[in-house]
Amino acid sequence: MMRGTVLAAVVAAIPFMSQAADEFIIVQSTTSTQNSGLYDAILPRFTQSSGIEVRVVAVGTGQALKNAANCDGDVLLVHAKEAEEQFIADGYGLQRHRVMYNDFVIVGPANGPVDLKNTTTAAEALRAIAQSQTPFASRGDDSGTHKKEQALWSSTDLDPSDQSGTWYRETGSGMGATLNIAVGMDAYALTDRATWLAFENKQNHKIQFEGDPALFNQYGVTLVNPAHCTKVKIEAGAEFINWLLTDGQDAIARHTKDGEQLFFPNAR
Amino acid sequence: MPENNILPFRQSDDPNTRDVIIQAEDLYISRADRNLLSGVSFAITQPGITTLLGPNGAGKSLILRLIAGLMMADSGRLSIVPSISNSLALVFQTPVVLRRSVHANLNHALKIYGTPKSERVGRIAELLVLADLTSLAQTPAKRLSGGEKQRLAMARALAARPKLLLLDEPTASLDPHATAAIERLTRSAAASGTKVILVTHDRMQAERMADDVLLVHRGRIAEHTPATQFFEAPTSEEGRTFLTGQILL
Amino acid sequence: MQDLWGSFQAAFALIVQMDADLAEIVLLSLQVTTAAVLIACLLGFPLGALLAVGRFPGRAILSVLTNATMGLPPVVVGLLVYLMLSQSGPFAVLNLLYTPTAMIIAQVILVTPIVAALTAQVVEDLNVEYDDLLRVMGASRLQTVTTLLWDARASLMTAALAGFGRAFAEVGAVMIVGGNINHVTRVMTTAIALETSKGALALALALGIVLLMISILINASLMALRSSTRTTAHA
């Protein structure tokens, strides 16, 4: 009897192991693009026209860069320009192309103790938060958003890492998890607008600061260097990148959440 | 099987020891400064039922375990005719049955004894009849009564037609009816040529079953005499005390 | 609390509708975990029996290792398997990263120590009862082990279920080696993690309830099977 059960279960396990006959590429990507539903909206169009399946591994930008450097992906789509340029300089990637942008915003409790209405720059806003010692939830995970946040802090001449564990809370988690934590502890947080708009657990949190040019958030796409990673699917990867930069631009522009556009194509 | 404990047997010219199959010389076992066996010597002959009789804790079961090869003496010498030591079976006081049906228990034993598959079915049927378990063949052995379990253990022990059957108080926890069934099986085994060594503390059982009696007391052999003689006129002080029903100290 | 009530309603709706996406995720979860647990049992039962009745040098060390690895954090296992299967790792040629097979490998590593350790415990207990009998019968080492394993089958099913529970509920390792790729390696737990990070807490919890119900269903049916094999036990 037991032998029969074993056999049945093994047979049941076979079909999915032998699938994936069609061509596919792996995209190492940031979480914000996936969490905001962008891929679900645009990828079917590309697959339909090209016959290439796109498998997205959505992790923090830091981990995406690391995975791609390990050759565990064909295409890199993240939002940390300097890190991407370093990635290319190190020989891991070919050329970086601008794909789209949106911006970062600072979210916080609606009736928070700090009034950021009259602040004009992100640096001022962060300084105000730091002075009031109101909790601030930082990604703390070397992601694109985290890198941006660190750059903003360094423009304030404050080093919040000294305060880590008091009002400055490093979650070491993804954007969504960090937002859940910020909402839970009435903390401020820096987030990209797309993730925030698509985020469903806002409760009393609202955008408290936005509009500083310093909060510009550019997404770039890079083909992994076949000289470094011999197994890279160059043609399929390049085809995907080309599509993102041409026909895909329209698809990106048409992706909205509650009527609001989440990403703004700027390849051309 | 502790090889060094079971030595090739020296065949004697003495007509009194010609049929000796097990010879113990000066066996000692001590645990925690206590002598469990102190200088045990005996010779067991074929055929028949030899009874190891004595009160609880005398060392009877220990001797049986030595013969079965489950343990070794600290010192001394135990010799068993190789053809016998290669063909023995043991039945415990508390029957050990596998968590399977009665039929599967017997099949398992026959498999281990190397009985070819073609012969097993017939042999199992014989054993079931022998132990009066035919109607319970498909019952899980764990659900049997104590007496049925012990009958199964007997049937399993007899499955390979052993030359030596060791019984360790097989009826100590059974009622008279179940006891009678085990004794019947024991006698039929002995009648068909299997040498039986029966450990018991029950003198009535010894009287019913024994051809010869080894009276064990405090880790020693108090006497070894034919049953008829033992129950008429024991040669040892311990034997006389035991038969009067007094507690042996 | 609003979320909680909403989740139960959502879970109910999910089950009633059972759309293709959810069915796919549930099926993949079951396939990955079932395959992993079966392999873990094939490895863990004999290993556990060996630890229980075997007498060989290094047995104590192996036993300690088995017990210690029972508590391995899934993320560590995930990282280890990732490093092995990565294109820059030693097994790159297998092309297994981000596939269900990679997830099975990670879960096998997580579950085998549990199955082995529980098996060792069960077999050791049973061996106390059977040891003398099997030795007098002259059973070989292999016969002893197979006898003990077969007779411990009811308890071994519990060991397998414990392994199933760990694998089915595990997220850290399968997330790393599977990549949570939609329609390829997305399973119940990684889908729950994703929905949580989207802030869709009600949906995440609803998926959790579905997971729990499947888990209950499997446990209950195996328990029923177990009691029915008990009543009609035959070889």
Side-chain angles (χ1 to χ4, degrees):
Chain A
M1 171 228 54
M2 201 170 255
R3 240 169 257 159
T5 316
V6 170
L7 196 67
V10 169
V11 168
I14 287 170
F16 72 85
M17 288 177 174
S18 56
Q19 73 174 193
D22 291 327
E23 192 176 10
F24 68 88
I25 56 169
I26 289 175
V27 175
Q28 289 287 348
S29 160
T30 164
T31 51
S32 55
T33 40
Q34 181 178 59
N35 284 5
S36 60
L38 177 73
Y39 292 125
D40 294 339
I42 70 168
L43 291 183
R45 296 191 197 198
F46 171 69
T47 301
Q48 201 176 14
S49 67
S50 67
I52 299 167
E53 181 192 347
V54 181
R55 298 186 177 176
V56 179
V57 177
V59 287
T61 294
Q63 200 188 335
L65 286 160
K66 181 73 189 150
N67 288 348
N70 282 340
C71 305
D72 296 321
D74 305 295
V75 171
L76 177 72
L77 202 166
V78 292
H79 60 145
K81 190 181 174 194
E82 282 169 29
E84 290 165 64
E85 283 168 349
Q86 187 60 48
F87 180 80
I88 291 164
D90 291 342
Y92 299 137
L94 286 179
Q95 195 194 342
R96 175 176 181 268
H97 304 273
R98 290 187 306 176
V99 179
M100 62 193 182
Y101 70 90
N102 60 9
D103 61 343
F104 290 103
V105 296
I106 296 173
V107 298
N111 304 309
V114 193
D115 186 8
L116 302 178
K117 292 271 153 41
N118 300 323
T119 52
T120 53
T121 67
E124 270 178 59
L126 288 181
R127 204 178 282 122
I129 292 167
Q131 272 161 6
S132 74
Q133 310 250 310
T134 312
F136 182 94
S138 165
R139 290 281 292 275
D141 65 348
D142 206 28
S143 60
T145 305
H146 185 223
K147 286 180 180 24
K148 170 64 84 176
E149 184 210 314
Q150 286 174 315
L152 292 171
W153 280 115
S154 66
S155 71
T156 65
D157 300 328
L158 292 170
D159 186 2
S161 58
D162 292 345
Q163 304 295 315
S164 186
T166 60
W167 60 270
Y168 188 70
R169 312 276 170 88
E170 290 174 292
T171 67
S173 310
M175 193 69 255
T178 302
L179 286 174
N180 278 327
I181 291 166
V183 167
M185 59 169 61
D186 269 351
Y188 290 91
L190 180 75
T191 171
D192 65 284
R193 190 184 293 271
T195 300
W196 176 250
L197 289 176
F199 188 66
E200 294 178 36
N201 186 32
K202 296 189 180 81
Q203 298 191 19
N204 288 326
H205 266 51
K206 290 200 162 45
I207 292 175
Q208 300 295 337
F209 182 84
E210 61 188 324
D212 183 343
L215 294 177
F216 182 69
N217 181 25
Q218 177 69 50
Y219 290 83
V221 67
T222 304
L223 185 65
V224 174
N225 190 350
H228 172 61
C229 301
T230 50
K231 281 194 190 165
V232 167
K233 295 169 179 165
I234 312 167
E235 282 171 28
E239 189 175 346
F240 175 61
I241 291 175
N242 275 335
W243 180 84
L244 271 182
L245 304 179
T246 55
D247 296 353
Q249 295 279 295
D250 180 47
I252 290 168
R254 275 196 273 159
H255 174 53
T256 60
K257 172 85 180 179
D258 299 331
E260 285 200 63
Q261 184 173 341
L262 300 182
F263 297 95
F264 298 86
N266 65 344
R268 282 160 288 201
Chain B
M1 199 77 51
E3 304 276 343
N4 58 344
N5 212 23
I6 294 164
L7 301 169
F9 206 77
R10 293 162 303 164
Q11 203 70 42
S12 171
D13 293 334
D14 182 347
N16 291 326
T17 60
R18 201 179 315 153
D19 295 325
V20 171
I21 52 166
I22 302 171
Q23 175 118 40
E25 293 165 58
D26 216 17
L27 298 177
Y28 275 85
I29 290 183
S30 58
R31 292 285 181 272
D33 297 337
R34 213 165 72 88
N35 278 342
L36 303 179
L37 293 185
S38 20
V40 166
S41 300
F42 58 80
I44 291 176
T45 55
Q46 211 163 9
I49 300 176
T50 298
T51 301
L52 292 179
L53 183 64
N56 287 332
K60 312 182 296 289
S61 294
L62 222 49
I63 294 170
L64 206 66
R65 288 177 67 81
L66 286 173
I67 295 171
L70 286 174
M71 58 187 297
M72 280 174 59
D74 297 342
S75 68
R77 179 183 164 96
L78 179 69
S79 319
I80 305 176
V81 172
S83 65
I84 299 282
S85 65
N86 289 335
S87 173
L88 59 82
L90 174 57
V91 172
F92 304 91
Q93 176 177 348
T94 311
V96 180
V97 295
L98 304 187
R99 286 156 176 75
R100 319 170 180 213
S101 68
V102 169
H103 186 279
N105 264 273
L106 295 173
N107 189 51
H108 173 265
L110 288 169
K111 230 194 282 187
I112 286 183
Y113 294 139
T115 310
K117 201 167 187 173
S118 55
E119 294 171 25
R120 276 186 232 150
V121 179
R123 182 68 182 140
I124 291 169
E126 283 171 32
L127 291 165
L128 288 171
V129 170
L130 184 71
D132 193 19
L133 289 169
T134 308
S135 63
L136 295 168
Q138 298 306 325
T139 306
K142 284 278 165 189
R143 295 240 190 100
L144 299 177
S145 71
E148 290 161 348
K149 274 185 196 161
Q150 199 60 293
R151 265 154 45 210
L152 172 59
M154 285 292 286
R156 182 179 54 203
L158 295 170
R161 298 187 177 90
K163 295 208 172 78
L164 175 61
L165 177 61
L166 306 171
L167 304 175
D168 189 0
E169 305 258 17
T171 62
S173 36
L174 301 184
D175 65 24
H177 182 71
T179 300
I182 297 300
E183 290 181 357
R184 175 180 60 79
L185 282 167
T186 306
R187 273 195 213 94
S188 89
S192 65
T194 296
K195 173 67 194 177
V196 177
I197 301 177
L198 169 67
V199 164
T200 183
H201 65 270
D202 176 359
R203 70 158 275 208
M204 303 298 284
Q205 183 169 54
E207 205 164 350
R208 287 195 298 273
M209 306 291 292
D211 291 314
D212 57 322
V213 174
L214 268 160
L215 183 67
V216 186
H217 179 50
R218 289 187 164 185
R220 296 173 198 276
I221 306 297
E223 74 169 280
H224 185 185
T225 37
T228 44
Q229 186 187 341
F230 180 82
F231 291 106
E232 293 285 319
T235 57
S236 64
E237 187 58 39
E238 289 91 341
R240 282 188 284 277
T241 312
F242 190 79
L243 287 181
T244 58
Q246 290 177 40
I247 297 167
L248 273 181
L249 293 173
Chain C
M1 289 308 97
Q2 211 175 335
D3 273 347
L4 208 56
W5 175 234
S7 296
F8 279 104
Q9 289 177 311
F12 184 71
L14 277 175
I15 292 164
V16 171
Q17 292 156 5
M18 195 38 98
D19 68 14
D21 278 0
L22 179 63
E24 185 184 53
I25 289 171
V26 170
L27 197 65
L28 185 63
S29 284
L30 286 172
Q31 285 179 323
V32 166
T33 302
T34 307
V37 170
L38 281 174
I39 295 167
C41 287
L42 289 177
L43 299 172
F45 289 163
L47 175 64
L50 207 64
L51 288 175
V53 302
R55 297 285 170 266
F56 54 90
R59 192 189 72 96
I61 295 168
L62 195 61
S63 188
V64 168
L65 268 179
T66 306
N67 283 311
T69 46
M70 266 172 87
L72 265 184
V75 175
V76 172
V77 172
L79 271 177
L80 201 74
V81 175
Y82 167 77
L83 290 173
M84 292 293 125
L85 299 181
S86 163
Q87 284 303 326
S88 51
F91 299 106
V93 67
L94 298 176
N95 281 327
L96 286 178
L97 191 65
Y98 304 137
T99 65
T101 308
M103 298 159 84
I104 292 171
I105 292 170
Q107 291 197 338
V108 166
I109 294 173
L110 281 170
V111 171
T112 303
I114 296 177
V115 174
L118 293 176
T119 301
Q121 189 60 54
V122 165
V123 169
E124 217 171 304
D125 290 349
L126 195 60
N127 194 39
V128 170
E129 187 185 333
Y130 284 9
D131 187 39
D132 282 351
L133 174 70
L134 293 173
R135 277 171 61 198
V136 172
M137 287 173 99
S140 69
R141 180 59 35 98
L142 182 67
Q143 285 169 330
T144 302
V145 164
T146 51
T147 301
L148 288 166
L149 283 177
W150 178 252
D151 278 37
R153 59 198 179 279
S155 305
L156 293 185
M157 191 180 282
T158 310
L161 277 178
F164 185 92
R166 163 115 156 154
F168 200 52
E170 189 281 318
V171 60
V174 294
M175 181 72 99
I176 294 172
V177 301
N180 189 26
I181 297 168
N182 206 1
H183 304 304
V184 182
T185 56
R186 184 162 300 164
V187 291
M188 296 290 289
T189 53
T190 59
I192 291 169
L194 177 63
E195 293 308 329
T196 305
S197 74
K198 286 180 179 175
L201 303 189
L203 180 56
L205 199 54
L207 285 168
I209 293 167
V210 174
L211 182 91
L212 179 68
M213 287 165 72
I214 293 170
S215 209
I216 290 171
L217 203 69
I218 287 165
N219 273 277
S221 46
L222 285 182
M223 287 297 166
L225 185 74
R226 177 174 149 171
S227 59
S228 78
T229 54
R230 265 192 186 161
T231 50
T232 64
H234 54 84

